[in-house]
Amino acid sequence: MRGISARSLEGVLSAVESAQDSADLGTQLFGVVSLLDANPALRRVLTDPSTESDAKAGLASRVLGSQVGPGTVDVVRAAAAARWNAGRDLADALETAGASAVVARADAAGSLEQLETELFEIGRAVAADVELRGVVADRSYPAQAKATLLATLFGSKVSTEALELAQQAVVARTGSFEKVLTAFGEVAAQRRDRAVAVVRVAYDLSDDERTRLASALAAKYGRDVHLNVVVDPSVVGGIAVSLGGEVVDGTMSSRLEAARRRLAG
């Protein structure tokens, strides 16, 4: 989001931080997003710049009624009272707010880093399975059925928060499942002002090696870094790190390939 919508999003996220009185806040906000997606007329009214902010906030309260908790109502009222560049931005902002609330829940439970890792691993697992990736990407397949499939595959392997974010990502409102899941991972990282680095190695790193690498990257980039480690035997040896738009490839396979190209002229 840019301009007016970006500033309004900041206000909505502030409302989320003030509304942590419900463990279901994220779940309920995702439900509101679904409601707005299914009712474009309501979305247009709530984002109409010619309507007074108080009137739009009041309408949001009446529509939601007692269906959600007071914290959810407060967040939606803040969103309805704000200004948006486009009608869809309201629902997009509430989806981000829902993700932020789920992340906050994991943070309060002391499992934020676990959540970041689980989101990454879910994304990798889906990408590695051609059939599963096809189902997830198929927009003719009902989102609820895809969410149920993810629960069957990952429900016993990941946290409730990771599964909930993956099930929301599968709706693919603002892009592919992979894109949305990555965005949710960034919401988790930003909560502690951390960067996310994807590390490719030939063998899994020990806890000490992970700590030393994270410390070195934090010193280089001036902020804490969460590591998503990918064990890939094809790298042969060494390590490749991708952080933001920067890639540092120190693997043996890349050096061998470079040497091969030099010999080939």
Side-chain angles (χ1 to χ4, degrees):
M1 293 185 185
R2 298 179 180 179
I4 293 173
S5 289
R7 292 191 292 275
S8 294
L9 174 59
E10 291 178 5
V12 173
L13 294 179
S14 294
V16 169
E17 292 301 315
S18 301
Q20 293 301 319
D21 59 344
S22 170
D24 296 328
L25 178 59
T27 305
Q28 292 179 0
L29 286 173
F30 288 151
V32 174
V33 171
S34 179
L35 172 68
L36 292 174
D37 284 345
N39 293 273
L42 173 62
R43 193 171 65 238
R44 283 195 295 272
V45 172
L46 292 177
T47 56
D48 185 351
S50 66
T51 303
E52 292 293 331
S53 294
D54 288 346
K56 291 187 289 185
L59 173 61
S61 295
R62 291 193 298 274
V63 169
L64 296 177
S66 60
Q67 301 176 63
V68 298
T72 303
V73 173
D74 288 344
V75 174
V76 178
R77 281 178 59 88
R83 295 185 61 194
W84 304 95
N85 291 332
R88 185 180 175 86
D89 285 356
L90 170 64
D92 293 349
L94 288 173
E95 182 176 58
T96 300
S100 181
V102 173
V103 165
R105 189 200 312 158
D107 191 17
S111 57
L112 182 59
E113 187 157 356
Q114 174 189 336
L115 173 63
E116 293 179 69
T117 300
E118 288 175 341
L119 292 177
F120 179 71
E121 292 300 335
I122 290 173
R124 286 191 66 215
V126 171
D129 187 317
V130 175
E131 184 175 0
L132 177 58
R133 187 172 71 246
V135 171
V136 167
D138 188 348
R139 290 188 175 273
S140 68
Y141 204 72
Q144 184 55 53
K146 290 190 280 189
T148 300
L149 176 61
L150 291 183
T152 300
L153 294 175
F154 301 110
S156 62
K157 300 176 182 177
V158 301
S159 64
T160 300
E161 290 77 18
L163 179 60
E164 185 169 0
L165 291 176
Q167 289 177 317
Q168 181 62 28
V170 86
V171 179
R173 300 180 57 264
T174 57
S176 67
F177 169 76
E178 293 83 1
K179 178 182 177 181
V180 178
L181 196 66
T182 297
F184 288 165
E186 291 171 352
V187 170
Q190 289 167 2
R191 184 166 184 82
R192 295 283 182 85
D193 191 29
R194 291 194 291 198
V196 178
V198 178
V199 180
R200 303 186 72 85
V201 289
Y203 62 89
D204 201 5
L205 301 178
S206 67
D207 289 343
D208 181 60
E209 289 172 321
R210 288 173 183 252
T211 299
R212 286 190 283 115
L213 177 58
S215 296
L217 291 173
K220 176 178 174 60
Y221 291 98
R223 59 194 301 197
D224 288 341
V225 177
H226 173 78
L227 304 182
N228 284 325
V229 178
V230 177
V231 178
D232 181 1
S234 70
V235 305
V236 183
I239 185 171
V241 178
S242 174
L243 195 157
E246 185 175 350
V247 178
V248 179
D249 192 344
T251 62
M252 182 64 72
S253 58
S254 66
R255 281 177 256 167
L256 290 173
E257 176 61 20
R260 185 193 65 76
R261 288 198 298 267
R262 286 197 297 272
L263 289 172

